[in-house]
Amino acid sequence: MRADAERSRRRILDAACEVFLERGPDAPLDAVVRRAGVGPGTLYRRFPDREALVRELVTDLLARLTEAAEQARAAEPDPYLALRRFVHAAADLRMGAAIVVLLEHLVVDEELVAVRRGTVVAVEGLLRAAREAGRLRPGVGMGDLVLLCVRVSRPLPGALAALDADGSLVHRHLDLALAGLAGEPDGPPGRALGFDEVIAAAGRPGEPVPGRVTE
Amino acid sequence: MRADAERSRRRILDAACEVFLERGPDAPLDAVVRRAGVGPGTLYRRFPDREALVRELVTDLLARLTEAAEQARAAEPDPYLALRRFVHAAADLRMGAAIVVLLEHLVVDEELVAVRRGTVVAVEGLLRAAREAGRLRPGVGMGDLVLLCVRVSRPLPGALAALDADGSLVHRHLDLALAGLAGEPDGPPGRALGFDEVIAAAGRPGEPVPGRVTE
DNA sequence: AGAAGGCGGAGGAATTTTCTCCGCTTCTGG
DNA sequence: CCAGAAGCGGAGAAAATTCCTCCGCCTTCT
């Protein structure tokens, strides 16, 4: 594969990831094209239809997730810290997009099942280790973990997204979800976010609200 | 106002709330119309443009949020339980819609500022009480609370939404976020969610994925 | 340097979204 | 219960969006 083709492929997949997270699995492919900064022809040549794009995106993400889970396990002897590390890595990888998109526009074939199984096994290992070490609230299941990850690591809607341009808020809130808003004062992760900052984007009286960042 | 007009107004506002939460603040008003089960004429007569609808929706929601905060404070002597009760009530009221939509398509006028101030004061009271009682992790601010509420109580994307048709998962995850996934075994709220359930909606190999519920 | 292959964008067809108009139904005051 | 006022739903025109192809030019590899 030629170098420029590979570059385009990567840009399209990355853009698709963000766009599907922000606008849902039916987001127009034109939006992906604009975000990726490529021409429509480039997208439609490589991915004949939406499903082809989605399939490659999901496969790619699941593989990287599996790798992240295995790396986290290897790098952290403490099972809870390993799980925590994985959760943060999953957010960086935009795990949400994989799931959103997997469930919507995809015929799940055997190859996909195999890739998915690999991810599930790896993550379940992390979870079981943390549970057996007594570092996980009893009754918390794999589904809870995954859904909380999806919920917390999705981009904030609309103009709120600007609050977390660099993603640090996602990591703060992941830590909060892990440790609990109500919890022992063993140090809060990051710094407190003021409400004023949240509503700052709402503009002042009489002023038009600054719209979302136009693409 | 005639009884049927009031009924239509309520149905439209409720529908708009759900639709804006699910599809973002630019969701087509036709989707609101379909969800509300009224004719387009009915919507456009009462709300000449998108802003009119959004304005009434936001004002209505903020007022109900303020009321919920005051009720929670009155009903629960324990500051933490009061905060917890409010958070759950806010999720039921779809607080997320107010914020999503407030930030996007609205010129914030003085009336709105006043209503919003009322809400902020009421919620800050709850938060301060919980903090002073030592029931809140230090460093957790109003913004964290609001954003975690938005994140957790937004509907899950796409087909995942079906997992939480009755909203019980939102409440479970709000409790988890409050108490922390990693936490003392003082009883997990609700029952554990299996990963199998999460991916069940993905269909079996070779089968087309059941699409989202068509409206 | 030449050839193979990829790139971006113009643009047409199809779909979606917006919003109006009007005949029929529902409500309310008397 | 009735008459008139008010509201309702839907057909459908106009505008905007989205999908996707074709083609002339540019990049990459040998």
Side-chain angles (χ1 to χ4, degrees), chain B residues 63-100:
Chain B
R64 290 159 85 178
L65 271 176
T66 306
E67 195 193 328
E70 287 162 357
Q71 267 190 354
R73 178 158 228 178
E76 290 281 1
D78 178 85
Y80 171 66
L81 291 182
L83 181 65
R84 180 165 173 271
R85 173 188 282 242
F86 166 72
V87 163
H88 286 282
D92 288 335
L93 286 174
R94 304 283 183 263
M95 177 172 67
I99 296 191
V100 170

Side-chain angles (χ1 to χ4, degrees), chain B residues 16 22 34 43 60 81-82 89 91 137 139 179:
Chain B
E22 281 169 22
R34 284 193 297 274
L43 188 151
D60 181 74
L81 291 182
R137 183 180 297 276

Side-chain angles (χ1 to χ4, degrees), chain B residues 3 6 26 34 44 47 49-50 56 100 104 115 125-127 134 139 163 166 173 197 202 206:
Chain B
E6 173 58 30
D26 295 318
R34 284 193 297 274
Y44 286 103
F47 305 104
D49 52 21
R50 185 181 289 265
E56 193 153 340
V100 170
E104 213 70 15
V115 175
L126 283 175
L127 199 69
L163 279 174
D166 66 351
H173 287 167
E197 294 172 76

Side-chain angles (χ1 to χ4, degrees), chain A residues 22 24-26 80 96 99-100 102-110 113 116 120 124 134-148 150-160 163-164 169-170 172-173 176-196 198-212, chain B residues 22 24-26 80 96 99-100 102-110 113 116 120 124 134-148 150-160 163-164 169-170 172-173 176-196 198-212:
Chain A
E22 281 170 22
D26 295 319
Y80 171 66
I99 295 191
V100 171
L102 176 65
L103 292 174
E104 212 70 17
H105 286 296
L106 212 47
V107 174
V108 180
D109 63 5
E110 290 186 24
V113 167
R116 189 177 68 190
V120 170
E124 254 171 359
R135 297 302 308 276
L136 207 62
R137 183 179 297 276
V140 171
M142 178 88 170
D144 292 314
L145 181 77
V146 169
L147 288 187
L148 262 173
V150 169
R151 287 188 143 138
V152 175
S153 64
R154 261 209 295 177
L156 287 162
L160 288 181
L163 280 174
D164 197 21
L169 218 47
V170 164
R172 173 180 172 84
H173 287 165
L176 275 178
L178 282 170
L181 269 70
E184 294 309 303
D186 55 345
R191 93 189 158 74
L193 185 76
F195 187 67
D196 290 346
V198 177
I199 64 168
R204 286 184 293 282
E207 282 190 353
V209 178
R212 72 173 66 187
Chain B
E22 281 169 22
D26 295 318
Y80 171 66
I99 296 191
V100 170
L102 176 65
L103 291 174
E104 213 70 15
H105 286 297
L106 211 48
V107 174
V108 180
D109 62 6
E110 290 188 23
V113 167
R116 188 176 69 191
V120 170
E124 255 171 359
R135 298 300 310 274
L136 207 63
R137 183 180 297 276
V140 170
M142 178 87 170
D144 292 313
L145 182 77
V146 168
L147 287 187
L148 262 173
V150 169
R151 287 188 143 136
V152 174
S153 64
R154 261 209 294 177
L156 287 163
L160 287 181
L163 279 174
D164 197 22
L169 217 48
V170 164
R172 173 180 172 85
H173 287 167
L176 275 178
L178 282 170
L181 268 68
E184 295 309 304
D186 53 345
R191 93 191 160 75
L193 185 75
F195 187 66
D196 291 345
V198 177
I199 64 168
R204 286 184 293 282
E207 283 190 352
V209 177
R212 71 173 64 186

